[in-house]
Amino acid sequence: MKYYSTQNKDHQVSLKEAVIQGLAPDQGLYMPLHIPELPDGFFENIKKMSFREIGYEVIGALFSEDLNPDQIKDLVDHTLVFDAPLVQVEGDVYSLELFHGPTLAFKDFGARFCSKLMSLLLEGEERKVRVLVATSGDTGSAVANGFYKVPGVEVIVLYPKGKVSEIQEKQFTTLGENILALEVDGVFDDCQKLVKEAFLDPELKANMLLTSANSINIARWIPQCLYYFYAFSKLPLTQKELVFAVPSGNFGNLGAGILAQKMGLPIARFVAATNMNKVVPEFLNGEIFLAKPSIPTISNSMDVGNPSNFYRLLALSDQDEEKLKDNVRGYYFSDKATAEAMVSVKSRTGYILEPHGAVGYLGLKAYLSQHPDHVGIFLETAHPGKFRSVVEEILQMKITLPERLEKFLEGTKKIEAIDNDFEAFKNYLLAKVSSH
Ligand SMILES: *Cc1c(COP(=O)(O)O)cnc(C)c1O
């Protein structure tokens, strides 16, 4: 399969190039040139299939030109090592829990898939591959855990000194092995700038194989379609039409839902739910798409003012804005409404939402109030323990962390530190090559 850039459909590359490059040279996002439709037989049997069996079919349809059946099985088995339960919260409202992975957020699916796919595509490569990732917290932990102990790959996580929560920091600084943590005396944007400069530096390019694994990489984006199929397989039989509500920031997760829909999954519609970073809901409600600086909120993993996957949403709608607006309905919510929903759901049903899931829940309820003939699933994208202090304050209760997270907190932090200076970073990288 070829992959094209959303900036220019004539710019087409192989799967390997798309994955190693991450972003297209023209700054576009890669998209599969052809989206395969799954056969009717698949949907007739889906309710009897396991998550992995569904994975073999879906990933097989997308990657069979580039990978053999054993590699596809490897890829799916490596990715789907934790469940995604569908929990009925009330009436026609279900929560798809995507937080049972190693770092307690849905990004674990994409990170695990990406690491395995990279190692498959780089088989036979003699040089060590180095993955550079700049993080404000979540991405670093998901990518580090996804790549942990993957042979031939070294991950270098750049993070801003003192700007990452203790739990997040522990999740990528205590692993060791092939995961290196580099503390930068600066802010997140400085870390991102150092990474971008490294990719452009001719001397580094000549001396080492660098790649990115950032959130727009096709290898992190595509596998997110899997749990939409799985959720559908778990939904009790109903005559009602199905809507998915997706709490969104960069809109990768929602885009992957549309990919599943295009592959034949019977989804009637999507709800794009955001916090006050609302450029996409505003666009869907008739305004012009205009990127804005981000605003801090309690659902901070969705504080995105310029959502990069917007162009994927358009590509999936054949560049037809009206088609996109009909398929996806947009809603946005304040922190106050989010906190009130968390309290009300807890007291009425006992279910504990964290702020991102609560935004999805609110979007779904708003939609269902106007479309009572639909049944809805919202995505709960993180474990309440991941945002423990906010959740404890709002719900006035203690949240216990899963055991695997407690384990991270006991680990010993191992880091190196550099100044916010490209020459310092470059020397750090070049020293890696000469010492291996
Ligand atoms: C990244 C993230 C989101 C936003 O997902 P997008 O694909 O960027 O829209 C939502 N919730 C949590 C917990 C996240 O970490």
Side-chain angles (χ1 to χ4, degrees):
M1 173 105 75
K2 290 277 186 208
Y3 292 81
Y4 70 91
S5 163
T6 50
Q7 291 283 354
N8 175 5
K9 204 157 183 175
D10 294 330
H11 173 80
Q12 297 175 7
V13 299
S14 68
L15 174 64
K16 182 169 171 177
E17 281 171 275
V19 171
I20 303 301
Q21 285 178 9
L23 195 66
D26 60 11
Q27 307 292 305
L29 309 188
Y30 284 115
M31 288 294 283
L33 193 55
H34 164 72
I35 295 174
E37 270 193 58
L38 290 158
D40 290 347
F42 169 74
F43 293 105
E44 283 156 19
N45 285 324
I46 195 169
K47 292 211 181 288
K48 287 178 267 173
M49 294 166 79
S50 69
F51 200 173
R52 286 188 186 184
E53 285 167 342
I54 291 171
Y56 303 147
E57 296 287 329
V58 174
I59 298 304
L62 286 158
F63 292 97
S64 61
E65 286 171 35
D66 296 286
L67 303 172
N68 67 42
D70 286 342
Q71 291 176 314
I72 285 167
K73 182 166 187 305
D74 247 21
L75 190 51
V76 172
D77 290 348
H78 178 85
T79 306
L80 301 182
V81 288
F82 46 90
D83 197 18
L86 186 70
V87 178
Q88 185 177 28
V89 175
E90 58 188 355
D92 283 330
V93 175
Y94 292 80
S95 168
L96 178 62
E97 296 186 346
L98 300 176
F99 54 72
H100 296 276
T103 73
L104 310 185
F106 80 95
K107 291 186 175 71
D108 284 327
F109 286 96
R112 294 190 69 82
F113 187 91
C114 180
S115 66
K116 188 71 191 180
L117 182 58
M118 271 190 190
S119 76
L120 289 171
L121 294 173
L122 291 163
E123 261 169 24
E125 173 66 56
E126 277 159 34
R127 289 183 297 173
K128 186 177 262 189
V129 181
R130 289 190 169 80
V131 177
L132 301 182
V133 49
T135 188
S136 53
D138 277 356
T139 301
S141 56
V143 170
N145 282 271
F147 280 86
Y148 185 49
K149 291 189 180 169
V150 171
V153 184
E154 189 167 74
V155 177
I156 300 166
V157 182
L158 287 85
Y159 71 103
K161 181 177 177 176
K163 306 250 173 5
V164 172
S165 83
E166 190 201 353
I167 298 183
Q168 287 175 330
E169 189 177 6
K170 287 269 182 173
Q171 285 181 90
F172 57 82
T173 57
T174 62
L175 291 166
E177 301 270 350
N178 61 330
I179 309 300
L180 308 176
L182 192 58
E183 186 187 75
V184 177
D185 195 2
V187 296
F188 169 66
D189 289 334
D190 298 322
C191 298
Q192 201 155 34
K193 196 156 158 267
L194 290 174
V195 168
K196 282 195 176 149
E197 260 183 274
F199 288 125
L200 296 174
D201 188 88
E203 195 183 350
L204 287 174
K205 224 178 195 161
N207 279 285
M208 57 205 304
L209 187 54
L210 292 175
T211 183
S212 86
N214 60 17
S215 70
I216 46 86
N217 196 303
I218 198 103
R220 285 185 57 192
W221 180 66
I222 287 184
Q224 297 174 21
C225 73
L226 289 174
Y227 39 74
Y228 289 88
F229 289 96
Y230 184 57
F232 172 77
S233 81
K234 291 286 173 199
L235 190 68
L237 273 178
T238 164
Q239 294 303 314
K240 294 189 169 186
E241 293 205 274
L242 173 59
V243 55
F244 273 96
V246 188
S248 295
N250 246 327
F251 283 83
N253 216 358
L254 196 144
I258 303 180
L259 176 65
Q261 183 189 40
K262 292 202 87 161
M263 292 180 81
L265 190 65
I267 301 170
R269 225 171 235 151
F270 292 90
V271 169
T274 71
N275 56 33
M276 294 311 277
N277 293 284
K278 53 185 168 39
V279 295
V280 173
E282 283 180 338
F283 161 80
L284 293 168
N285 292 319
E287 290 176 40
I288 288 169
F289 179 78
L290 201 61
K292 297 197 177 115
S294 68
I295 306 164
T297 73
I298 57 170
S299 46
N300 60 16
S301 297
M302 310 196 302
D303 294 348
V304 181
N306 186 11
S308 40
N309 284 292
F310 179 69
Y311 296 98
R312 279 203 168 115
L313 304 186
L314 276 177
L316 289 161
S317 312
D318 309 319
Q319 306 297 337
D320 180 343
E321 293 190 358
E322 294 313 311
K323 197 165 159 180
L324 177 58
K325 289 175 189 169
D326 183 55
N327 193 27
V328 183
R329 299 299 161 95
Y331 300 88
Y332 56 87
F333 303 94
S334 66
D335 281 354
K336 183 164 173 286
T338 306
E340 281 168 5
M342 289 167 65
V343 170
S344 140
V345 169
K346 165 80 174 32
S347 74
R348 282 184 297 110
T349 74
Y351 194 77
I352 296 174
L353 292 166
E354 56 70 54
H356 305 78
V359 167
Y361 169 87
L362 280 167
L364 182 55
K365 291 289 276 191
Y367 181 83
L368 290 179
S369 72
Q370 289 165 327
H371 300 85
D373 54 335
H374 282 51
V375 56
I377 298 173
F378 68 93
L379 274 45
E380 179 43 289
T381 46
H383 187 286
K386 189 143 193 171
F387 298 93
R388 182 159 66 170
S389 57
V390 185
V391 175
E392 287 185 340
E393 194 186 314
I394 292 171
L395 296 182
Q396 291 295 307
M397 65 182 287
K398 274 224 88 59
I399 300 290
T400 44
L401 290 178
E403 213 175 295
R404 59 192 186 285
L405 201 59
E406 293 283 4
K407 277 221 180 71
F408 277 114
L409 293 175
E410 290 160 13
T412 322
K413 183 170 138 178
K414 223 182 119 216
I415 64 162
E416 290 178 80
I418 57 164
D419 288 338
N420 175 23
D421 169 50
F422 182 65
E423 284 308 310
F425 182 45
K426 186 169 162 178
N427 290 334
Y428 167 89
L429 289 173
L430 289 171
K432 296 273 159 232
V433 195
S434 52
S435 69
H436 283 278

